[in-house]
Amino acid sequence: MALPLLPGNSFNRNMGKEKFHKSQHWGFCNNVRMLVSEDKPGIGGELLLGQKIKPKYSVFPKGMGIDMPSWVAFDKQVLSFDAYLEDEVPDKSQENYRIRRYKIYFYLEDDTIEVNEPVLKNSGLPQGLFIRRHRISLPPPDDDRFYTVYHFNVNTDIVFYGRTFKIYDCDAFTRSFLKKIGVKLNPPRQCPEDPYMKTRREKLDYMGPLRPYQSFDTLKQFLEYDRKVLRFFCVWDDSCSLFGDRRELILHYFLSDDTVEIKEVLPRNSGRDAMSLFLQRRKLPKYGPPGVFQPGHLTDQTVLNVYGGYSENRVYGYLLDKYNLGKLDQEFYKDTDLSIGTTINVWGRKVLLCDCDDFTKTYYRTKYGIENFTSIPCKAPPPPTIERKFPPYTGFGSEEDSLRSCIGLMPTPHQRNFKKFMEFDSYGNISNTLRFFAKLITHKCADVERMFVISYFLSDDTISVFEPIERNSGYTGGMFLRRVRVKKPGQEVFKSEFSDYIKAEELYVGAKVNVNGYLFLLVNADEYTLNYMERNSDKFPLSNIELALQKLKEEEPKSRELKQVFIAADCMHTTMVDFNTFREIMMNLTVGKLTDQEVITIARHYRVPEDPCPDRNVLLAQAHQQLKKNAFENFERLIATCVYQDREKKKVLPSKDIKRLCKSSRLPLNEDLLGSLLSRFEDSEKQINYESFFYALNWRVNPVPELEVVSYIKERCEDEWLGMPSPIPVKGIYYLNLLKDVFGLEEE
């Protein structure tokens, strides 16, 4: 039993296949459904036993060995033959017959034929497709067969539907193909000329046109240069005329039709109407304005009227005057007339071409070989600046308000620098205010001990002076100078220029400031001021630690002496001294080279760091003070709430729970103080014994000593460092670190 024909099953090639291996399908014969077998190759492309494939008729060139269907091998391959046909013309005396030329196309893929007649101008015959593409049978008696490629040859006659076509030539591909398939080609012959067309052509040769005709081909120029425009930047100097000035223009030259368009570039606030065009697009004459011409004067051709006599059958004729007698020539600007530096005439206006764009430069470089495109400045030189002089200050109001009344008819208020105000205005804990302790320099003995606080506001450069109130001093104290800008001394009051005011860069410790005739000596500054000056050391060079140490390095020969003085002043051998001692030593060493501001900068750089965390008792004293002030005594309820929340009865709760309880119970302590107290009472697991915490806060059960007011160190009275008690910049300075960094001295 044979195996089924499946992939993988091998068969002997010599083994025959029975007829039941043929492919079969259901068909109908005489209205009866029956199984029909087809003579097709079996599976795998092999022929079955007794099966023959009917070959399809096709012609292949000899020696090509093509084994594929003809519609694939000869796809899009057509043989072309030139033929003519002699048609009889019995009804006309001018001609007895007519020669009509045809193109015969033979399609190799399916042996179809198509006949076309080329269109001839003014032939009066329907031309074009003569025989549509299809297979054409041979003339009788062989009409059961069709034309093949072997029926075609040059210099032979071929009959299609009773019409005899005489083939006289073919193209190169047809000639090559016929030689390959073994067809011997006949020599080509000439196609006879149509006698009527010959007579008509001879008549047209000596016959002139009925109307003047001369072609002007502008389509080529339009298609080649459409959308290509040359652009020049030019200027028209009309400053010589009344109310005239320099006008900047842009000239567009359209290469497609040699027309010119000019636009004007209007500057801002020129006072001129914004016109779309300075010159509408048109051809620009070289010598304009040329005047007014009558219609017909300017034409491309000169037409002559030919007189035909007085006969009844006279003919009116027209001829072109090839000599152009009386024609008015008008020259127009071309692209060759335009270049940088050329002055052109725009209807009587002299326009100078100053520059052009990159496309224009490329066009002239490519077509004319021009390389020099040096531009000419087209902008007019700026007019001389007229200095505006204002009248001097009248003394009423501020200088800015007085100036605003001179600028316009309707005075407007002075607009201050709002950006600076928003940038340096106080917000949060950033005051943007520089505060200095100052001493009044005077010869009056009663005013020598008076101290002041000078505040400089960075937002608007104003200064205010305040005198602290001191009991039994004999002075009322309070506001000494309201907030106002302070002028520098020695300036003229009634002048046209603005006065110079005191700037922030002129204020530093040790400076003398003249405030409206009162001379103040700045003896100290607060912490914010010193930090601000050190952060902005580019504006305050005296607060630059590098510059201060550089001055100190100049005293290197006295380094050993300086070290001995510091060691002698350090009786306890703590390697640090207080600020007053440090300042005295530095001033004596440098002999006035260092200012007080530079000494403070050095002292702050090498100061002894203070303990940032206050003691637990200090925090409790501050808390008791606030609790007493608000009369808060409800500690038992807080402890009871904590006992209720303590489910495990460990007498501890998380720190965040106790903080939330204090806030919900409105405990009158600020958030920073409450957080500091909680951090002192929490353990390693951030748990707090709530009984001990609230017992410590109970100011009635567990009172703590009240805080003592810190008394500032009384500074010693000197010539330039006197005054009432004031906070010193730092408490202690590491002098050994200073000596090591500046002079390289190590501790012995």
Side-chain angles (χ1 to χ4, degrees), residues 108 127 159 169 201 601 675:
L108 296 173
Q127 296 172 332
V159 180
D169 202 357
R201 185 172 60 254
T601 302

Side-chain angles (χ1 to χ4, degrees), residues 438 440 454 463-465 480-482 484-489 502 507 512-520 522:
L440 183 62
I454 298 178
I463 294 177
S464 68
V465 181
F480 185 82
L481 176 68
R482 65 178 179 85
V484 67
R485 288 195 300 172
V486 178
K487 297 180 181 180
K488 294 181 180 179
I502 296 178
L507 303 180
K512 296 179 180 180
V513 183
N514 191 324
V515 180
N516 296 339
Y518 293 92
L519 190 61
F520 292 93
L522 306 184

Side-chain angles (χ1 to χ4, degrees), residues 467-602:
E467 183 179 7
I469 300 175
E470 186 177 359
R471 298 181 62 182
N472 300 327
S473 63
Y475 298 98
T476 57
M479 185 62 67
F480 185 82
L481 176 68
R482 65 178 179 85
R483 182 176 176 180
V484 67
R485 288 195 300 172
V486 178
K487 297 180 181 180
K488 294 181 180 179
Q491 301 184 71
E492 185 181 355
V493 178
F494 303 103
K495 62 182 185 301
S496 301
E497 297 79 13
F498 285 120
S499 301
D500 293 333
Y501 296 89
I502 296 178
K503 302 295 182 62
E505 293 79 4
E506 302 172 5
L507 303 180
Y508 55 90
V509 178
K512 296 179 180 180
V513 183
N514 191 324
V515 180
N516 296 339
Y518 293 92
L519 190 61
F520 292 93
L521 174 66
L522 306 184
V523 296
N524 206 344
D526 61 358
E527 184 69 18
Y528 174 80
T529 303
L530 297 175
N531 289 332
Y532 180 84
M533 296 170 72
E534 291 172 359
R535 287 196 308 268
N536 300 274
S537 58
D538 54 337
K539 297 181 180 179
F540 302 92
L542 297 181
S543 297
N544 192 334
I545 182 63
E546 296 179 358
L547 297 179
L549 295 179
Q550 189 66 28
K551 286 185 178 181
L552 193 59
K553 285 182 180 180
E554 297 177 0
E555 304 295 334
E556 188 172 0
K558 302 179 182 179
S559 58
R560 295 292 178 182
E561 179 184 355
L562 179 63
K563 183 178 180 181
Q564 296 298 329
V565 173
F566 275 121
I567 294 175
D570 184 15
C571 302
M572 305 298 296
H573 302 287
T574 57
T575 68
M576 56 182 174
V577 294
D578 60 89
F579 176 74
N580 291 329
T581 304
F582 179 80
R583 175 186 173 276
E584 182 179 358
I585 295 173
M586 297 301 293
M587 285 296 184
N588 294 334
L589 175 68
T590 58
V591 193
K593 290 184 178 181
L594 291 178
T595 61
D596 290 327
Q597 182 68 44
E598 292 174 321
V599 173
I600 293 175
T601 302
I602 298 174

Side-chain angles (χ1 to χ4, degrees), residues 147-352:
Y147 278 102
T148 64
V149 68
Y150 292 101
H151 292 96
F152 291 87
N153 201 339
V154 180
N155 204 359
T156 58
D157 296 344
I158 192 166
V159 180
F160 295 151
Y161 299 110
R163 291 178 176 268
T164 303
F165 294 87
K166 298 179 180 182
I167 302 175
Y168 64 90
D169 202 357
C170 64
D171 61 359
F173 171 76
T174 305
R175 187 178 294 105
S176 175
F177 185 84
L178 291 178
K179 288 181 180 180
K180 288 183 179 180
I181 64 175
V183 177
K184 185 177 181 181
L185 288 175
N186 299 326
R189 64 178 179 179
Q190 293 293 333
C191 177
E193 190 174 4
D194 186 11
Y196 175 76
M197 296 301 297
K198 179 180 179 182
T199 305
R200 183 177 177 182
R201 185 172 60 254
E202 293 176 353
K203 184 178 180 180
L204 291 175
D205 289 341
Y206 64 81
M207 182 179 177
L210 297 178
R211 291 182 176 83
Y213 177 77
Q214 184 177 356
S215 62
F216 294 92
D217 185 14
T218 58
L219 181 61
K220 179 181 179 181
Q221 180 182 359
F222 174 78
L223 295 177
E224 184 178 358
Y225 294 107
D226 186 28
R227 295 179 180 272
K228 294 182 179 180
V229 183
L230 306 181
R231 183 169 64 168
F232 291 89
F233 304 97
C234 44
V235 62
W236 170 39
D237 191 358
D238 191 33
S239 57
C240 297
S241 61
L242 185 62
F243 306 114
D245 56 356
R246 293 171 64 92
R247 312 275 285 275
E248 296 183 15
L249 308 174
I250 297 178
L251 184 144
H252 292 156
Y253 183 87
F254 296 87
L255 295 172
S256 60
D257 55 358
D258 298 328
T259 54
V260 175
E261 175 188 81
I262 300 179
K263 295 184 177 181
E264 183 178 4
V265 181
L266 292 177
R268 296 183 60 184
N269 301 326
S270 64
R272 299 185 180 275
D273 294 335
M275 303 298 294
S276 58
L277 292 174
F278 184 79
L279 176 66
Q280 193 176 7
R281 179 177 175 179
R282 62 180 64 185
K283 288 191 174 183
L284 182 62
K286 290 185 178 180
Y287 309 102
V292 179
F293 298 99
Q294 296 297 327
H297 279 198
L298 297 177
T299 58
D300 295 331
Q301 302 132 343
T302 302
V303 183
L304 299 178
N305 187 2
V306 180
Y307 179 68
Y310 290 100
S311 62
E312 295 180 358
N313 299 326
R314 64 180 180 180
V315 179
Y316 294 94
Y318 303 93
L319 293 178
L320 289 178
D321 185 8
K322 62 180 180 180
Y323 298 105
N324 293 326
L325 298 176
K327 181 182 178 182
L328 295 177
D329 291 332
Q330 189 174 10
E331 297 184 20
F332 298 96
Y333 279 105
K334 301 291 184 179
D335 56 347
T336 56
D337 302 323
L338 304 179
S339 62
I340 297 177
T342 303
T343 302
I344 62 175
N345 179 17
V346 182
W347 297 99
R349 298 167 178 83
K350 303 300 180 181
V351 176
L352 175 64

Side-chain angles (χ1 to χ4, degrees), residues 48-89:
L48 303 178
L49 184 62
Q51 182 181 4
K52 296 181 180 180
I53 298 298
K54 296 180 180 180
K56 182 181 178 182
Y57 181 80
S58 62
V59 178
F60 294 93
K62 293 182 179 181
M64 295 182 63
I66 301 177
D67 189 10
M68 60 179 66
S70 61
W71 60 271
V72 176
F74 301 108
D75 184 27
K76 297 182 180 180
Q77 296 187 13
V78 183
L79 304 182
S80 176
F81 297 92
D82 297 328
Y84 67 92
L85 179 67
E86 293 183 0
D87 274 355
E88 294 184 0
V89 186

